[in-house]
């Protein structure tokens, strides 16, 4: 399929709640394939539709669970359940393809479960406790709700993240997307 440009912090699509998928169309099939291809090209753990400028409640994931097994798939209309206490592990850095090349310790619940459907209308349930997948599920649903992980940072870390955006010059240059076919996260 196609690798799409990824929207960056400041892009309006990242600030809006995504719309529920009511009908699976050929365009939606193409979007899911494009999300997987784009996530692979960008070497991401997951990617939500708003990150490529689409407003549907769909995301893809490709990351290890707590047992180290690589998990890959997609979810339409996900409903997130968090489990366990909110934890801030100083040694675990969370990043985002919409803020490429940056990462900060971010408070997340240890466990997460997402229920939704796949492109064939079959029920999907993905769960993890303590792995990258648990963090990814929470992160991607945040995107569908119009939130960035920066919204979950401590005030000092949020300031550091916004300073990093300023220092990279993205806003000054009017950069609202990046293309993983042309750049890596570190060279945006």
């Amino acid at each position: 399929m196609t690798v799409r440009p990824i929207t960056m912090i400041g892009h309006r699509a990242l600030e809006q709640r995504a719309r529920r998928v009511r009908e699976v169309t050929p365009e939606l099939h193409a979007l899911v394939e494009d999300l997987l291809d784009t996530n692979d090209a960008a070497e991401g753990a997951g990617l939500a539709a708003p990150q490529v400028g689409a407003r549907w409640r769909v995301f893809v994931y490709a990351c290890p669970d707590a047992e180290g097994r690589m998990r890959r798939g997609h979810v339409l209309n996900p409903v997130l359940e968090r489990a366990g206490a909110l934890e801030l592990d100083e040694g675990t850095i969370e990043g985002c393809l919409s803020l490429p090349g940056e990462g900060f310790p971010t408070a997340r619940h240890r466990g997460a479960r997402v229920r939704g459907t796949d492109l064939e209308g079959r029920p999907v349930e993905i769960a993890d406790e303590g792995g990258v997948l648990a963090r990814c599920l929470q992160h991607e649903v945040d995107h569908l709700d119009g939130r960035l992980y920066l919204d979950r940072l401590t005030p000092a870390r949020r300031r550091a993240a916004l300073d990093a955006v300023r220092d990279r010059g993205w806003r000054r240059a009017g950069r609202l997307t990046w293309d993983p076919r042309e750049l890596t996260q570190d060279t945006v």
Side-chain angles (χ1 to χ4, degrees):
M1 297 311 275
T2 303
V3 173
R4 297 188 187 193
I6 297 173
T7 59
M8 295 171 59
I9 184 170
H11 194 290
R12 187 175 161 160
L14 297 174
E15 300 167 359
Q16 299 174 341
R17 186 170 169 82
R19 294 186 301 243
R20 183 172 175 76
V21 173
R22 300 200 182 282
E23 179 182 4
V24 175
T25 63
E27 292 80 16
L28 191 66
H29 276 269
L31 172 62
V32 168
E33 290 300 320
D34 291 354
L35 285 168
L36 287 165
D37 290 346
T38 303
N39 189 60
D40 289 346
E43 299 179 0
L47 191 66
Q51 292 181 275
V52 296
R55 296 243 352 253
W56 298 112
R57 290 190 72 76
V58 58
F59 73 84
V60 299
Y61 57 93
C63 58
D65 62 17
E67 296 173 3
R69 289 178 302 175
M70 204 51 191
R71 306 278 295 274
R72 181 178 169 89
H74 68 276
V75 184
L76 308 180
N77 299 323
V79 175
L80 174 67
E81 296 173 30
R82 296 171 182 90
L86 195 60
E87 297 177 355
L88 177 60
D89 177 359
E90 296 293 332
T92 301
I93 304 300
E94 184 167 333
C96 180
L97 295 176
S98 292
L99 189 68
E102 299 296 332
F104 297 90
T106 307
R108 293 283 184 189
H109 291 269
R110 180 167 174 72
R113 175 186 320 277
V114 165
R115 289 185 172 99
T117 60
D118 66 13
L119 286 169
E120 307 308 318
R122 295 180 298 240
V124 172
E125 182 176 316
I126 304 119
D128 189 35
E129 186 169 333
V132 174
L133 181 60
R135 183 171 292 274
C136 175
L137 297 174
Q138 295 171 74
H139 182 110
E140 300 311 327
V141 171
D142 273 354
H143 276 301
L144 300 179
D145 291 338
R147 296 185 69 175
L148 293 175
Y149 85 103
L150 298 184
D151 300 329
R152 299 198 178 274
L153 297 178
T154 64
R157 288 207 172 103
R158 181 174 169 77
R159 179 76 259 148
L162 294 173
D163 287 348
V165 170
R166 183 198 63 227
D167 293 347
R168 287 186 174 233
W170 297 330
R171 287 190 177 155
R172 194 171 45 255
R175 180 180 281 276
L176 294 175
T177 63
W178 69 283
D179 190 333
R181 292 170 296 193
E182 299 169 2
L183 299 167
T184 67
Q185 292 184 50
D186 292 329
T187 60
V188 176

